[in-house]
């Protein structure tokens, strides 16, 4: 920690210079004579927090920073300093226990970190020093060292790739341990560096370390004797990150530029912000109430004590004189210490053990999620993953679900369905009769017979083959190529033996970061154009006529989500320079000649409504002059150190103009398994589902229909660029108009909304769906005038809250987070959940209360940043409806029960003060005080909170409506809290006064002997332990053998302990208070009778309540359908179901 | 969190080979075990408390509790108890003078005689209690003011009592045995009971002072230092509690088994009472072998040697004669409580039965049109 802050400190100093200069191989260049090698940090990774000597103070300090621990420490110190009724042991022991356990756990974790650090730091690496290979420990690497890394080795620090053993100057890495993406990524050597690294004389100028894994700008100056220094731009494609692994490449050499804690990997592992659950907030509120109770109790007692003492003869009767010290103490000081003593006496009302139990419950409880075999996906062979156990109960409280579309609702398993070339529709048919595998199907445009010209066709297919960043996976040994863990991104595509295609040379697999590209390349392959791979900047394709064509790849204009397109510039053998561009229709159409657009647009729109992902393909010939200009522009922009992105973007936009449209593709993205059922269940559970996608509206809308988020009778309110432009007026005005109109429709005309639970039902009378796109959203959120902005936002929110589902399309990742944040902070601060699978969902996953990652195809970033990760969308249903519901019920009960049991534990002690002259005499023995929360009553509630299923899982899954019962923190609101508090007070009063009346005559034994104060306390305590445990037993609806064991076991343990504790004269005790008290108590029939009576009387209201509630249980169960059919919702829905099914089964031919 | 995930990543990174080659093995172990516990499918008993199961319970509770309550009530009522206040707070009380003239220093003993009449004869063993009111034996300062190891015969504690005993720890330089406020305030009135028979003679009633303390206290918890022989020597070097008239080894000079720390009066006193109004067992009047009642009805005289002042803190002293049943002394509370709870249960059972019945009908009728 210290080291890190120090580093950061130093880092800040360095940052004043916004770039760092590095001499490759520490050879100072001739040009910079006065070059002083700057100090960089070494390559030691320090993730451990403690060292042996600072562990104790530092760990203790950190632990006592927690408010609860600090409170107990204060209580303990008060007990040590002031003469208090209970010995410091009573609060010291539990505190010591908690602190020790935490310290051991943290110490162990830190030891593991030390071990891991050591392993990394001592890992041997090869450094090239003056032409010699030197083996060094990883931690000795200095910035500027030239390292050699072999295949399958991990890079020890961030390197600039200088040399690769591959002849095309590339190398492959996987970043599986960095962001989880297990595909091979290509990295390039710095162009035109000398092969002989020894004579390389260069400096690297690069930015200061920053955590973004995908951004890097730098410049390399190469000094050659008697030549102008050459400058090469460095980008993320030249940077090998620490933590990634070299693949498919024998060996590489690179120069270290960021080391140790400055590597991007280390910078990325700085803790995520802590999310706190609503339950925790409730606990804190309850704690405050109990703190008030505690303080007021102490105040009341202190006041009464001094009032009472004022009566003559009471303060200091002859039989009970004060000590000299007491007499000397100042009155006010005495009052204060009395107050403190009362605080100490009653402090058990706020139990230290609750924190421990809650933590244990969360920690252990989260295992049930990882253990659940229903979450196990046989495809990826993984189950659910729990990244944080703090939010288990939040899963039962979700009100808004924000879901990504691609990869979440849909499988992200792309399949090329059809294409449209020059306005003609081509659909591939498996058993194609057509000789060339092409088949023209019925297009709606009645152009059945016509085909686009062969030339156009081939141009289109060439474009598909060239315009991508796909790698061909090399599989040196036939058939064994798939042995390693690359399977999920490699689609082994055996060219099927139809004989129509060129004979398969080998198993061909493609690797790409986006599955769309693979689908397109494979689609082109089906039409006879096979991409054979790169050969040092040359792309080879196999045409339909079995010719191998070579194209020189000049530039790749990378895809980015803002432009929503990518391009390549290639030079064909004939010397033509061509630009192929593919991208979303909205980004392509404005950049092509308009006359071509109409023919294609129709197809694109039709495909989009069918739920396909469409891409448009365009091309343009570049003449030499144009190319030279573009080339220069690109090179310049790539070399820029500042604002490289912006400059590149400008050049890209400039180049990608005036293209001509060739065609469009349609790629199908199948719905996830049970996506519709899951969504329906979520909506049934009262959650609002919002789809946030970057995809275009039509595609997203059809997905929504397919997922039954929109129903046939759903009225769609659309707020998109299209509707805004309809009016033909200014967008702002139109926006305002539409918002007001929709607001009127959805909010004002809707039936008056009752409390949250019924809302969805009542508004379900008329379902509204709301659609908004990114551009309009940014208009709503960032309206020109301030006043409008907040008003629009309000209107927008209100509309959304009254719609059953909302679809936000064309969203940028940040906008997704913006929406989540807006809903999160809206009135009533609803609990939000985000679910997504890709890097673009990370922001919303982090923003929402609960972030769920899907272990999908778009890498592992979402999973890494999520709180929970599940393999499939369908698992969400069980995670929320079953696990979430149960966790919430369990922990809510746990919290309430804890407060209850401590209230009725301490209340008799408080009441006893009225009978002992407010002298802070404890009612119970110190052993009982200490053990009550630790041993006697802790295990049953822990077992309950881990195992309880008040409703069994199947029922929870079948009846999604049950989820509504606990919505809005239903079990931890003030109502239930007061009920439990009241119950605690009732029990406390009963225990105390029941025994008090029994002690009206303390001669309770049949030999006439009398009981004293410790017998009194023991009887109360026995009643207490039994009642509190049996109360829990009454609440337990799911009795496993563990519950039986723990409940009856802890009662038996109490009895056993009491015998044991009272059976021996303990030499270490000053007073043998309980000597044979328990045994004597049991020998008294009256004591038995009063214990039984009080236990029964305490539980009577509970039983009554169960009985009175029970008639309502079946009643509600039977009446619900009746009620809802009267409400006119369920029946139309269910009667509409077959109709809907039919319509969708028609549609599903195309959609699913 | 950060650290642990960091760890995992590091380990992955360090064994790249393992991740690839042993991929299948790693993957296999990831599949969750299909055990009942891990799948939360442990066989479970799921009791559902319905009116049907609870109603009989109510009736049963009622039917059990009411007889018990009646039994308890009758038993308690059959116990004979007689109580007389001899504090002397009022001028018409025979002990008024003793109470008024009390002084710690006077060596002369003030004796007063209280006469009373027992309306009914007391059968079997009669237990004689003294009762104190407004005496806070449960005051914290008081409760902790004792040294149990000293009372257990520990020699070092005898000469060096615990600090808890302050300010009754040392007197005039030597340690007090027994130390502490509880011991210091030992109840030291002497009560003697005489029966006035028909011809006016006083017959002293023999009071047994054994068996009034808990057996374990008498035999284990309390022990004299150095056994029971020659207590004078054993207690040498200690001084008596300041308010005592005689040292601890003279509490009962006649009976060595009842002297010193194991004096039963002392042990009874040392068991601090729970409430400020309490009674403690003083003597037992053993049942006579003949058929005559232990205490026949008639006039009695209670001779009090008045040593114990209570008026200074507005306290009261009582003498109680009581017979004992299996449930202890007279206390109608338990009987009444049992009868009440039993009746409530029974009543509730009836009410619930009616509601349940009515509700069932309505429910059935509601179901029909459905």
């Amino acid at each position: 920690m210290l080291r890190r802050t120090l580093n950061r400190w130093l880092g800040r100093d360095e940052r004043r210079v916004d770039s760092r200069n590095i001499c490759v191989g520490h050879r100072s260049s001739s040009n910079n004579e006065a070059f002083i090698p700057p100090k960089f940090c070494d390559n030691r990774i320090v993730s451990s927090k403690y060292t042996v000597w600072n562990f104790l103070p530092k760990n203790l300090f950190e632990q006592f920073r927690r408010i609860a621990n600090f409170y107990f420490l204060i209580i303990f110190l008060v007990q040590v300093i002031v003469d208090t009724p209970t010995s410091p042991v009573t609060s010291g022991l539990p505190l010591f226990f908690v602190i020790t356990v935490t310290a051991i756990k943290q110490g162990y974790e830190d030891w593991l970190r030390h071990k891991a650090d050591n392993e990394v730091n001592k890992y041997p690496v090869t450094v090239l020093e003056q032409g010699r290979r030197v083996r060094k420990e990883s931690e000795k690497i200095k910035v500027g060292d030239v390292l050699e890394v072999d295949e399958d080795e991990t890079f020890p620090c961030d390197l600039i790739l200088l040399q690769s053993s591959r002849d095309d100057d590339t190398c492959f890495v996987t970043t599986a341990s960095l962001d989880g993406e297990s595909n091979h990524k290509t990295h390039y050597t710095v162009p035109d560096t000398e092969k002989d690294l020894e004579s390389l004389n260069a400096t690297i100028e690069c930015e200061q370390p920053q955590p973004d894994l995908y951004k890097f700008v730098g410049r390399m100056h190469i000094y050659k004797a008697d030549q102008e220094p050459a400058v090469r731009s460095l980008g993320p494609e030249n940077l090998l990150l620490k933590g990634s692994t070299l693949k498919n490449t024998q060996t590489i050499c690179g120069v270290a530029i960021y080391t140790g804690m400055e590597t991007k990997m280390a910078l990325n592992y700085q803790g995520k912000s802590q999310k706190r659950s609503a339950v925790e907030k409730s606990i804190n509120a309850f704690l405050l109430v109990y703190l008030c109770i505690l303080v007021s109790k102490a105040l009341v007692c202190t006041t009464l004590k001094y009032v009472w003492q004022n009566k003559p003869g009471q303060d200091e009767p002859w039989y009970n004189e004060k000590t000299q010290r007491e007499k000397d103490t100042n009155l006010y000081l005495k009052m204060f210490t009395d107050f403190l003593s009362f605080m100490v006496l009653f402090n058990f009302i706020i139990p230290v053990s609750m924190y421990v139990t809650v933590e244990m419950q969360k920690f252990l409880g989260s295992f049930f999620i990882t253990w659940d075999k229903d979450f196990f996906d046989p495809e990826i062979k993984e189950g659910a993953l729990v990244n944080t156990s703090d939010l288990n109960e939040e899963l039962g409280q979700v009100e808004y679900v924000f879901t990504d579309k691609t990869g979440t609702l849909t499988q992200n398993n792309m399949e090329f369905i059809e294409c449209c070339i020059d306005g003609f529709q081509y659909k591939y048919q498996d058993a194609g009769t057509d000789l060339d595998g092409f088949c023209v199907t019925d297009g709606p445009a009645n152009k059945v017979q016509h085909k686009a010209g062969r030339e156009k066709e081939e141009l289109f297919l060439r474009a598909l083959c060239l315009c991508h960043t796909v790698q061909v996976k090399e599989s040196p040994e036939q058939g064994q190529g798939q042995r390693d863990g690359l399977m999920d991104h490699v689609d082994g595509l055996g060219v099927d033996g139809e004989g129509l295609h060129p004979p398969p040379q080998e198993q061909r697999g493609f690797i790409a970061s986006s599955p769309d590209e693979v689908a397109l390349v494979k689609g082109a392959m089906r039409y006879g154009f096979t991409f054979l791979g790169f050969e040092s900047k040359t792309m080879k394709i196999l045409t339909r006529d079995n010719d191998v064509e070579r194209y020189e790849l000049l530039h790749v204009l990378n895809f980015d989500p803002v432009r929503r397109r990518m391009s390549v510039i290639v030079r064909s053998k004939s010397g033509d320079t061509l630009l192929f561009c593919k991208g979303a229709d909205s980004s392509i159409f404005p950049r092509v000649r308009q006359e071509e657009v109409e023919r294609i647009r129709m197809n694109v729109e039709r495909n989009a409504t069918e739920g396909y992902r469409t891409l448009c393909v365009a091309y343009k010939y570049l003449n030499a002059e144009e190319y030279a200009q573009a080339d220069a522009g690109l090179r310049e922009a790539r070399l820029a150190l500042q604002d490289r992105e912006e400059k590149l973007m400008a050049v890209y936009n400039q180049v990608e103009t005036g293209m001509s449209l060739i065609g469009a593709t349609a790629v199908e993205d199948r719905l996830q398994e049970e996506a519709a059922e899951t969504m329906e269940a979520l909506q049934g559970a009262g959650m609002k589902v919002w789809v946030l996608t970057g995809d275009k509206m039509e595609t997203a809308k059809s997905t929504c229909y397919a997922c039954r988020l929109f129903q046939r009778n759903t009225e769609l309110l659309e707020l998109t660029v299209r509707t805004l432009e309809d009016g033909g007026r200014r967008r702002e005005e139109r926006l305002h108009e539409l918002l007001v109109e929709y607001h009127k429709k959805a909010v004002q005309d809707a039936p008056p909304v009752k409390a949250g639970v019924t809302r969805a039902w009542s508004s379900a009378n008329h379902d509204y769906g709301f659609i908004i796109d990114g551009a309009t959203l940014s208009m709503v959120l960032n309206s020109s005038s301030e006043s409008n902005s907040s008003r629009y936002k309000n209107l927008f929110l209100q509309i959304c809250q009254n719609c059953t589902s909302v679809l936000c399309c064309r969203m940028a990742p940040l906008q997704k987070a913006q929406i989540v944040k807006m809903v999160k902070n809206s009135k009533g601060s609803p609990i939000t959940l985000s679910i997504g699978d890709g890097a673009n969902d990370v922001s919303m996953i982090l923003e929402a209360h609960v972030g769920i990652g899907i272990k999908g195809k778009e890498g592992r970033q979402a999973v890494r940043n999520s709180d929970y990760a599940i393999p499939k969308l369908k698992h969400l249903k069980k995670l929320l409806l079953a696990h979430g519901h149960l966790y919430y019920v369990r922990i809510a009960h746990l919290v309430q029960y804890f407060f209850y049991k401590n209230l009725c534990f301490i209340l008799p002690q408080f009441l006893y003060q009225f009978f002992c002259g407010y002298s802070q005499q404890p009612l119970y023995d110190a052993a009982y005080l200490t053990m009550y929360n630790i041993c006697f009553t802790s295990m049953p509630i822990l077992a309950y909170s881990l195992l309880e299923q008040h409703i069994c899982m199947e029922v929870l899954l079948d009846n999604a409506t049950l989820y509504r019962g606990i919505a809005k923190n239903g079990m931890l609101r003030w109502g239930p809290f007061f009920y439990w508090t009241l119950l605690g007070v009732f029990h406390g009063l009963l225990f105390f006064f029941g025994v008090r009346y029994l002690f009206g005559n303390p001669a309770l034994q049949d030999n006439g002997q009398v009981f004293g104060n410790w017998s009194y306390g023991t009887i109360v305590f026995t009643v207490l332990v039994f009642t509190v445990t049996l109360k829990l037993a009454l609440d337990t609806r799911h009795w496993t053998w563990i519950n039986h064991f723990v409940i009856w076991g802890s009662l038996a343990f109490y009895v056993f302990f009491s015998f044991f504790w009272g059976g021996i004269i303990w030499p270490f005790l000053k007073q043998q208070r309980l000597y044979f008290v328990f045994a004597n108590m049991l020998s008294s029939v009256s004591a038995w009778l009063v214990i039984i009576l009080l236990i029964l009387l305490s539980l009577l209201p509970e039983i009554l309540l169960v009985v009175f509630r029970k008639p309502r249980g079946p009643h509600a169960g039977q009446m619900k359908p009746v009620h809802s059919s009267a409400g006119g919702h369920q029946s139309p829905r269910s009667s509409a179901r077959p109709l809907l099914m039919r319509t969708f089964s028609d549609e599903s031919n195309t959609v699913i | 969190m950060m650290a642990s995930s960091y760890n995992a990543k590091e380990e992955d990174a360090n064994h790249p080979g393992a991740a690839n080659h042993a991929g299948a093995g790693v993957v296999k172990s990831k599949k969750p075990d299909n055990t009942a516990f891990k799948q939360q499918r442990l066989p479970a008993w799921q009791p559902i408390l319905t009116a049907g199961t609870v109603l009989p319970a109510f009736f049963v509770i009622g039917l059990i509790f009411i007889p018990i309550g009646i039994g308890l009530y009758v038993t308690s009522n059959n116990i004979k108890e007689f109580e007389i206040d001899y504090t002397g707070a009022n001028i018409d009380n025979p002990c008024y003078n003793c109470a008024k003239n009390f002084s710690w220093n006077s060596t002369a003993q003030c004796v007063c005689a209280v006469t009373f009449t027992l309306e009914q004869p007391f059968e079997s063993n009669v237990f004689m209690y003294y009762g104190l009111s407004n005496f806070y034996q449960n005051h914290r300062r008081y409760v902790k003011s004792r040294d149990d190891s000293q009372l257990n015969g520990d020699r070092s504690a005898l000469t060096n009592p615990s600090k808890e005993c302050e300010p009754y720890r040392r007197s005039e330089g030597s340690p007090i045995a027994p130390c502490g406020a509880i011991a210091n305030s030992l109840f030291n009135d002497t009560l003697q009971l005489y029966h006035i028979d028909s011809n006016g003679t006083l017959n002293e009633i023999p009071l047994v002072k054994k068996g009034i303390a808990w057996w374990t206290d008498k035999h284990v918890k309390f022990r004299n230092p150095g056994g029971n022989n020659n207590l004078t020597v054993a207690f040498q070097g200690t001084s008596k509690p300041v308010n005592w008239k005689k040292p601890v080894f003279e509490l009962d000079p006649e009976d060595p088994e009842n002297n010193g720390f194991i004096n039963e009066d002392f042990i009874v006193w040392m068991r601090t009472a729970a409430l400020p109004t309490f009674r403690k067992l003083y003597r037992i009047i053993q049942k006579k072998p003949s058929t005559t009642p232990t205490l026949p009805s008639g006039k009695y005289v209670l001779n009090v040697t008045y040593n114990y002042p209570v008026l200074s803190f507005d306290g009261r002293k009582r003498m109680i004669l009581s017979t004992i049943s299996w449930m202890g002394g007279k206390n109608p509370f338990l009987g009444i409580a049992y009868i009440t709870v039993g009746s409530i249960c029974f009543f509730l059972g009836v009410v619930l039965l009616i509601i349940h019945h009515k509700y069932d009908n309505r429910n059935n009728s509601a179901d029909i049109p459905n």
Side-chain angles (χ1 to χ4, degrees), chain A residues 912 915-916 919 921-925 992 995 999 1002 1010-1021 1071 1073-1074 1077, chain B residues 136-140 142-144 146 182 214 221 268-276 278 280:
Chain A
Y912 193 56
F915 296 88
C916 70
S919 59
Q921 169 64 24
L923 182 57
Y924 318 113
D925 182 57
F992 183 78
V995 182
F999 267 68
V1010 292
F1011 281 167
N1013 64 325
W1014 298 117
S1015 303
Y1016 189 110
T1018 306
I1019 296 177
V1020 172
F1021 193 77
Q1071 295 200 2
R1073 296 157 162 177
L1074 286 193
V1077 163
Chain B
Y136 284 85
Q137 247 205 332
N138 57 5
H139 195 281
R140 180 160 73 92
Y142 188 84
V143 170
K144 70 173 184 183
R146 65 193 286 164
I182 312 179
W214 289 13
K221 194 174 170 184
V268 167
W269 182 255
M270 292 306 285
R271 182 154 294 281
T272 47
L275 300 166
F278 59 90
K280 281 182 187 289

Side-chain angles (χ1 to χ4, degrees), chain A residues 651-802:
Chain A
V651 180
Y652 287 167
N653 283 337
Q654 190 191 330
V655 178
E656 291 164 337
T657 44
M659 302 177 288
S660 37
L661 196 62
I662 335 172
T665 58
V667 172
E668 186 188 352
D669 192 2
R670 286 170 189 274
L671 276 189
Q672 286 274 8
E673 294 166 55
E674 296 173 34
E677 288 82 352
T678 308
M679 287 301 129
E680 217 168 25
L682 295 188
Q683 285 195 327
M687 287 174 241
K688 304 267 173 75
V689 182
W690 291 35
V691 179
L692 310 183
T693 177
D695 224 326
K696 70 178 70 61
M697 194 189 96
E698 288 76 15
T699 322
K701 206 158 91 182
S702 63
T703 311
C704 283
Y705 271 115
C707 293
R708 293 186 216 150
L709 284 174
F710 292 158
Q711 308 267 349
R712 225 343 98 92
N713 56 354
T714 306
E715 188 178 339
L716 294 184
L717 311 175
E718 218 178 294
L719 197 65
T720 56
V721 179
R722 204 172 66 191
T723 52
L724 288 188
E725 279 167 352
D726 268 354
R729 268 179 301 165
R730 276 188 53 226
R731 283 185 176 190
E732 283 272 302
E733 286 169 34
R734 179 77 184 141
L735 173 72
H736 179 82
E737 204 173 278
L738 276 176
L739 271 176
V740 172
E741 184 193 324
Y742 290 158
H743 184 257
K744 193 157 170 284
K745 222 187 234 175
V747 181
Q748 290 160 0
D749 293 354
V753 174
K754 274 183 255 153
V757 183
T758 55
R759 176 185 292 170
W761 290 102
S762 56
S763 67
N765 261 337
H766 204 115
D767 270 339
Y768 288 104
F770 191 67
I771 302 175
I772 190 166
D773 66 2
T776 323
L777 183 77
S778 61
M779 274 174 71
V780 170
L781 296 182
N782 321 311
S783 184
S784 45
S785 62
E786 276 299 310
S787 59
N788 271 356
S789 161
S790 65
R791 230 187 97 216
Y792 286 170
K793 222 163 145 176
N794 259 333
L795 284 174
F796 171 65
L797 258 179
Q798 285 180 5
I799 296 169
C800 290
Q801 280 164 357
N802 278 289

Side-chain angles (χ1 to χ4, degrees), chain A residues 556-602:
Chain A
V556 176
L557 285 62
N558 277 321
F559 179 85
D560 66 68
V562 183
R563 259 165 65 239
R564 302 178 59 79
R565 60 180 180 269
M566 65 129 352
S567 309
V568 288
I569 300 176
V570 293
R571 181 173 288 146
S572 71
K573 242 165 127 186
S574 52
D576 293 331
T577 312
L578 282 153
L579 177 136
F580 289 111
C581 178
K582 73 168 193 272
D585 50 58
S586 60
S587 64
I588 297 279
F589 285 163
R591 305 186 163 268
V592 297
R593 284 197 287 278
Q594 288 308 306
E595 62 270 17
E596 298 158 342
V597 169
E598 281 315 308
R599 280 179 293 172
I600 304 246
R601 170 173 287 176
M602 210 167 49

Side-chain angles (χ1 to χ4, degrees), chain A residues 500-661:
Chain A
L500 305 172
H501 299 291
Q505 307 96 323
E506 55 192 327
Q507 287 284 102
R508 190 169 290 277
F510 298 109
I511 309 162
S513 44
S514 145
D516 293 66
E517 293 204 316
V518 177
L520 290 180
V521 174
K522 283 198 284 185
M525 195 154 112
R526 284 201 287 206
Y527 293 142
F529 275 75
T530 312
F531 173 60
L532 293 177
F534 282 96
E535 206 168 73
S536 65
K537 291 255 164 200
T538 311
M539 295 169 103
K540 287 194 295 184
I541 54 174
L542 189 69
T543 64
R544 254 191 270 185
D545 315 322
N546 270 344
D547 291 337
V548 176
E549 288 180 8
R550 284 165 205 277
Y551 292 88
E552 188 187 348
L553 181 65
L554 298 169
H555 283 287
V556 176
L557 285 62
N558 277 321
F559 179 85
D560 66 68
V562 183
R563 259 165 65 239
R564 302 178 59 79
R565 60 180 180 269
M566 65 129 352
S567 309
V568 288
I569 300 176
V570 293
R571 181 173 288 146
S572 71
K573 242 165 127 186
S574 52
D576 293 331
T577 312
L578 282 153
L579 177 136
F580 289 111
C581 178
K582 73 168 193 272
D585 50 58
S586 60
S587 64
I588 297 279
F589 285 163
R591 305 186 163 268
V592 297
R593 284 197 287 278
Q594 288 308 306
E595 62 270 17
E596 298 158 342
V597 169
E598 281 315 308
R599 280 179 293 172
I600 304 246
R601 170 173 287 176
M602 210 167 49
N603 267 311
V604 170
E605 275 174 9
R606 185 180 49 80
N607 284 335
T609 39
E610 281 168 2
Y612 300 142
R613 297 159 68 88
T614 56
L615 281 176
C616 291
V617 182
Y619 83 105
K620 118 179 182 189
Y621 279 103
L622 293 171
N623 57 34
E625 188 187 328
E626 277 173 326
Y627 173 68
Q629 196 186 344
D631 186 49
L634 286 169
R635 278 177 200 281
E636 189 190 339
R638 279 198 187 131
L639 277 183
L641 263 188
Q642 258 102 38
D643 305 330
R644 184 184 285 176
E645 307 287 317
E646 287 78 10
K647 283 178 189 161
L648 271 176
M649 197 76 73
V651 180
Y652 287 167
N653 283 337
Q654 190 191 330
V655 178
E656 291 164 337
T657 44
M659 302 177 288
S660 37
L661 196 62

Side-chain angles (χ1 to χ4, degrees), chain A residues 25-168:
Chain A
H26 307 294
R27 282 178 286 269
S28 59
S29 54
S30 48
N31 292 32
N32 307 13
E33 297 87 0
F35 185 77
I36 307 149
K39 268 285 215 204
F40 299 113
C41 75
D42 59 7
N43 199 33
R44 263 173 70 90
I45 286 285
V46 183
S47 64
S48 54
K49 271 188 191 161
Y50 311 109
T51 60
V52 177
W53 51 270
N54 77 0
F55 175 74
L56 210 61
K58 203 169 155 189
N59 183 265
L60 284 183
F61 174 72
E62 299 220 332
Q63 287 205 48
F64 285 121
R65 282 206 318 202
R66 285 187 64 182
I67 193 80
N69 285 347
F70 187 70
Y71 165 79
F72 294 112
L73 180 71
I74 293 292
I75 292 286
F76 175 71
L77 289 180
V78 167
Q79 276 179 313
V80 170
I81 296 162
V82 183
D83 166 46
T84 52
T86 54
S87 85
V89 178
T90 50
S91 69
L93 200 66
L95 184 66
F96 178 74
F97 176 74
V98 169
I99 296 288
T100 315
V101 167
T102 318
I104 288 173
K105 182 177 151 252
Q106 291 181 348
Y108 174 71
E109 278 173 1
D110 206 57
W111 179 70
L112 286 183
R113 280 194 287 264
H114 270 289
K115 234 174 70 173
D117 285 353
N118 258 343
E119 244 176 81
V120 177
N121 290 336
K122 302 281 185 244
Y123 192 77
V125 293
T126 314
V127 181
L128 298 180
E129 270 175 5
Q130 277 99 38
R132 282 177 296 120
R133 282 152 203 269
V134 184
R135 294 294 271 182
K136 269 190 182 179
E137 282 172 352
S138 161
E139 61 181 346
K140 304 257 167 67
I141 295 172
K142 286 189 289 291
V143 169
D145 278 349
V146 178
L147 303 176
E148 192 183 83
V149 182
D150 293 330
E151 184 166 5
D152 287 339
E153 269 188 338
T154 311
F155 302 118
C157 58
D158 290 354
L159 302 169
I160 288 291
L161 179 58
L162 294 178
Q163 207 178 61
S164 164
S165 63
R166 290 173 66 94
D167 35 2
D168 56 354

